[in-house]
Amino acid sequence: MSVITVKSINDTVKTYQFVDNGEPMRGGVKDVYFSPDRKYVVAIFRDKLDFNQKERLQRITNKYLAQIQNGDAGDYYLNEVYRWPTDVIEHKGLTGIIVPIYDGKFFFKKGYATSDLIQGKEKNGKWFAGPKFRNPHFPLRVSNSELGDWLSYFQVCVNLTRGVKKMHAMGLAHSDLSYNNVLIDPIQRSACMIDLDGLVVPGLFPAEVIGTAEFIAPEVLSTKHLNKTDPDRKLPSRLTDLHALPVLIYMFLLHRHPLKGGKVHDLDTEKDDLLSMGEKAMFIEHPTDETNRPKLNQVSKWDLPWADINQLPYSITGPYLKTLFDKVFIDGLHNPMQRPNAEEWEIALLKTTDLMQKCHNAACEQKWYVFDNTNTPKCPFCNTPHKGTLPVLDLYYQFQETVWKPENHRLMVYNDQYLFQWHVNRNIARNEKLTPQQKVPVGYFTYFNDKWVFVNQKLTSLKDLTEDKEIPIGTMIELTDGKKILLSKEEGGRVIMVTMANK
């Protein structure tokens, strides 16, 4: 075993070290070695890179790294969302990159429920996207202590959408977004994008690969037989990321693939795969064409109940996400310009978390579900009905002096649910730029003496409009059907309208 010192190409004064024990971790194209202090890894390409490939790496580690560091929420992106390469080195005529080590939360503490085989291994997204590793009867199911609940996966998806949003804002495309290139920790509700050395810079550095099988956009697959110089050939770009991202979101929330259904296009499996994911791709939950519905007599028993789209249809993800899934898997499937952008997904995911309800069944594996907008809500995962009344708060904003309009945003109440500044004021966006102060709750909801109440902790101009009275800090207001409450007099301040469901 030896410790080897290598020099930076970007800044020749800088050096790095790695431990060579003769058995590096082998990736697809790189050999990976740890630094002696295990703070970073040195990943060395096995084949020589050409001028363009080296130039790409230098751009990623110089220009684009600096852009993230100096931009809004740089720490959040570099510590939470990306493992961004920080430097380029050379060793024995081969090029390598320096990448910060993954956070400890992205390694399995337990792994399988029945054995320690994958203990200490990376929590690659693949473990959490499919159904069988979470099936209670599957011999190699992932331990419950690693799986998290349904709400966890919404925050995981928020991190991924923000990662894509930031790349696209910098003029980059990922080109190979898949569950293999993300690490996720549902317990701490974290997700991190890895393998970022192949980013596409439009017009300068094209994609080196067309992507990972299940995530390649239909237009890329259906033109892959054409020459790279053919103007009709479609290569990975920002628009193909906007196909791969929702496939990931759909798989993390519903544990099935949105295009892999029961329709057979060709008896040759390889040709069939190419058609069903490419030219003939069709959403398995298409509302008017049912030909690609999964056939339950053909799916593995380990894939249930998730493979059963009648039992767990995509509508359980709520109205905001259903609308976007329709846009991307129906309108935008073969029409890339129609695909929603990453920020639209981020907003829809966050608004959906405001519709969440806790399941009343302590044994429910998912623990949370999205309110289904009925007067008798129940958990779709275990069919447990909601007990007791349920306040539904619709947010309104001031359109003109005396005109208030609905915001198409509502907040569901449950015991100890918090209210935040981004609910109170429409000028505060719930995104990665929130200050620590803006993340502090301004009040909370609780069930007290057989009544639902809101306790005001920080709002200086809270007012019960129905009874025309101020609600000072430290006091509470009862939530009753039809009540109107002004949250703030400031510009952008909202009014909430209370509806009681499940009466």
Side-chain angles (χ1 to χ4, degrees), residues 43 53 247 266 500:
Q53 290 169 314
V247 171
D266 198 297
M500 295 307 256

Side-chain angles (χ1 to χ4, degrees), residues 10-28:
N10 290 342
D11 175 357
T12 46
V13 181
K14 271 193 183 160
T15 61
Y16 298 91
Q17 290 185 315
F18 67 86
V19 178
D20 184 4
N21 62 357
E23 289 182 16
M25 295 190 294
R26 284 177 71 86

Side-chain angles (χ1 to χ4, degrees), residues 58-325:
Q58 288 185 266
R59 286 275 179 115
I60 288 170
T61 52
N62 261 334
K63 177 183 172 186
Y64 295 113
L65 176 61
Q67 231 174 306
I68 300 172
Q69 284 167 332
N70 302 328
D72 284 324
D75 282 355
Y76 165 76
Y77 281 111
L78 291 175
N79 297 327
E80 181 67 16
V81 179
Y82 299 133
R83 275 294 163 265
W84 198 274
T86 55
D87 211 340
V88 187
I89 57 100
E90 206 153 43
H91 177 58
K92 292 185 178 170
L94 295 173
T95 309
I97 50 173
I98 305 295
V99 186
I101 203 90
Y102 304 147
D103 192 297
K105 64 188 170 188
F106 294 120
F107 296 93
F108 281 112
K109 289 179 186 59
K110 168 94 173 84
Y112 291 136
T114 51
S115 80
D116 293 337
L117 263 180
I118 54 170
Q119 193 176 2
K121 292 263 194 303
E122 293 169 11
K123 293 189 190 176
N124 181 294
K126 200 168 186 171
W127 294 106
F128 304 95
K132 70 174 180 225
F133 291 119
R134 57 181 52 245
N135 185 307
H137 309 294
F138 186 61
L140 290 178
R141 78 176 303 236
V142 171
S143 166
N144 271 347
S145 63
E146 307 274 14
L147 282 176
D149 53 38
W150 205 44
L151 185 56
S152 320
Y153 292 87
F154 283 80
Q155 186 58 48
V156 160
C157 292
V158 166
N159 269 14
L160 298 177
T161 57
R162 286 178 178 164
V164 173
K165 175 180 79 169
K166 180 74 175 172
M167 276 179 195
H168 289 180
M170 296 196 302
L172 299 169
H174 188 292
S175 83
D176 187 14
L177 189 58
S178 80
Y179 48 43
N180 290 327
N181 291 333
V182 299
L183 300 178
I184 79 168
D185 174 29
I187 302 302
Q188 294 192 35
R189 300 177 178 181
S190 285
C192 170
M193 297 165 114
I194 60 172
D195 289 341
L196 297 172
D197 46 70
L199 299 176
V200 173
V201 186
L204 274 179
F205 307 115
E208 304 236 321
V209 291
I210 62 166
T212 302
E214 295 182 66
F215 299 88
I216 302 172
E219 66 274 18
V220 174
L221 270 186
S222 54
T223 61
K224 83 179 184 118
H225 60 285
L226 300 172
N227 192 307
K228 269 198 171 175
T229 53
D230 189 314
D232 289 332
R233 170 84 192 260
K234 296 286 185 280
L235 291 168
S237 67
R238 195 181 68 83
L239 291 172
T240 64
D241 285 353
L242 295 180
H243 170 79
L245 175 66
V247 171
L248 259 182
I249 294 172
Y250 185 93
M251 290 186 80
F252 281 142
L253 298 182
L254 295 163
H255 309 295
R256 56 178 180 250
H257 194 283
L259 306 178
K260 287 188 161 182
K263 193 170 188 174
V264 177
H265 302 278
D266 198 297
L267 294 177
D268 175 333
T269 311
E270 207 172 309
K271 280 187 188 160
D272 186 58
D273 274 351
L274 197 60
L275 288 167
S276 64
M277 302 294 274
E279 189 189 338
K280 304 274 190 205
M282 179 193 261
F283 186 29
I284 59 170
E285 301 191 67
H286 195 292
T288 55
D289 185 336
E290 299 191 358
T291 50
N292 198 27
R293 293 274 192 270
K295 295 182 169 66
L296 291 186
N297 58 351
Q298 292 172 4
V299 304
S300 154
K301 64 176 180 180
W302 307 123
D303 292 351
L304 294 170
W306 297 99
D308 185 347
I309 64 171
N310 294 320
Q311 190 182 336
L312 295 173
Y314 72 130
S315 54
I316 64 169
T317 61
Y320 310 122
L321 287 171
K322 181 186 177 294
T323 302
L324 292 192
F325 284 137

Side-chain angles (χ1 to χ4, degrees), residues 210-490:
I210 62 166
T212 302
E214 295 182 66
F215 299 88
I216 302 172
E219 66 274 18
V220 174
L221 270 186
S222 54
T223 61
K224 83 179 184 118
H225 60 285
L226 300 172
N227 192 307
K228 269 198 171 175
T229 53
D230 189 314
D232 289 332
R233 170 84 192 260
K234 296 286 185 280
L235 291 168
S237 67
R238 195 181 68 83
L239 291 172
T240 64
D241 285 353
L242 295 180
H243 170 79
L245 175 66
V247 171
L248 259 182
I249 294 172
Y250 185 93
M251 290 186 80
F252 281 142
L253 298 182
L254 295 163
H255 309 295
R256 56 178 180 250
H257 194 283
L259 306 178
K260 287 188 161 182
K263 193 170 188 174
V264 177
H265 302 278
D266 198 297
L267 294 177
D268 175 333
T269 311
E270 207 172 309
K271 280 187 188 160
D272 186 58
D273 274 351
L274 197 60
L275 288 167
S276 64
M277 302 294 274
E279 189 189 338
K280 304 274 190 205
M282 179 193 261
F283 186 29
I284 59 170
E285 301 191 67
H286 195 292
T288 55
D289 185 336
E290 299 191 358
T291 50
N292 198 27
R293 293 274 192 270
K295 295 182 169 66
L296 291 186
N297 58 351
Q298 292 172 4
V299 304
S300 154
K301 64 176 180 180
W302 307 123
D303 292 351
L304 294 170
W306 297 99
D308 185 347
I309 64 171
N310 294 320
Q311 190 182 336
L312 295 173
Y314 72 130
S315 54
I316 64 169
T317 61
Y320 310 122
L321 287 171
K322 181 186 177 294
T323 302
L324 292 192
F325 284 137
D326 287 344
K327 266 190 187 169
V328 73
F329 296 137
I330 300 170
D331 312 341
L333 194 56
H334 299 286
N335 191 345
M337 298 299 283
Q338 304 257 3
R339 293 172 189 158
N341 66 31
E343 189 174 20
E344 290 176 71
W345 287 104
E346 178 194 3
I347 291 167
L349 286 160
L350 291 169
K351 280 171 76 170
T352 303
T353 60
D354 280 343
L355 295 180
M356 287 282 186
Q357 268 300 315
K358 283 181 180 171
C359 179
H360 285 291
N361 170 11
C364 177
E365 290 207 340
Q366 302 308 322
K367 306 265 184 287
W368 294 86
Y369 62 93
V370 176
F371 173 64
D372 60 4
N373 207 19
T374 67
N375 207 17
T376 51
K378 65 173 193 230
C379 170
F381 303 109
C382 65
N383 288 321
T384 305
H386 178 84
K387 295 189 192 86
T389 55
L390 181 59
V392 181
L393 312 181
D394 282 294
L395 304 181
Y396 284 74
Y397 70 99
Q398 192 161 21
F399 179 64
Q400 284 164 351
E401 189 65 32
T402 54
V403 182
W404 291 79
K405 286 194 165 181
E407 191 90 68
N408 186 26
H409 185 171
R410 56 167 42 155
L411 181 65
M412 302 304 302
V413 171
Y414 50 83
N415 206 25
D416 298 331
Q417 156 78 308
Y418 289 117
L419 189 75
F420 290 94
Q421 288 193 26
W422 58 79
H423 297 123
V424 171
N425 193 313
R426 73 187 308 236
N427 295 333
I428 296 172
R430 183 181 175 186
N431 59 27
E432 69 282 7
K433 296 173 193 168
L434 286 170
T435 63
Q437 195 188 351
Q438 288 172 328
K439 293 179 186 171
V440 177
V442 295
Y444 63 93
F445 300 92
T446 187
Y447 196 64
F448 177 73
N449 286 348
D450 298 335
K451 294 197 282 261
W452 283 105
V453 294
F454 172 69
V455 179
N456 181 11
Q457 291 175 296
K458 290 191 179 296
L459 297 174
T460 52
S461 53
L462 185 69
K463 187 174 184 188
D464 180 339
L465 295 178
T466 308
E467 298 191 11
D468 192 26
K469 71 178 207 208
E470 308 280 335
I471 313 295
I473 289 174
T475 65
M476 58 177 127
I477 175 173
E478 187 186 347
L479 304 179
T480 53
D481 199 49
K483 178 153 293 213
K484 291 192 187 83
I485 303 166
L486 175 69
L487 297 177
S488 165
K489 282 181 186 153
E490 287 170 27

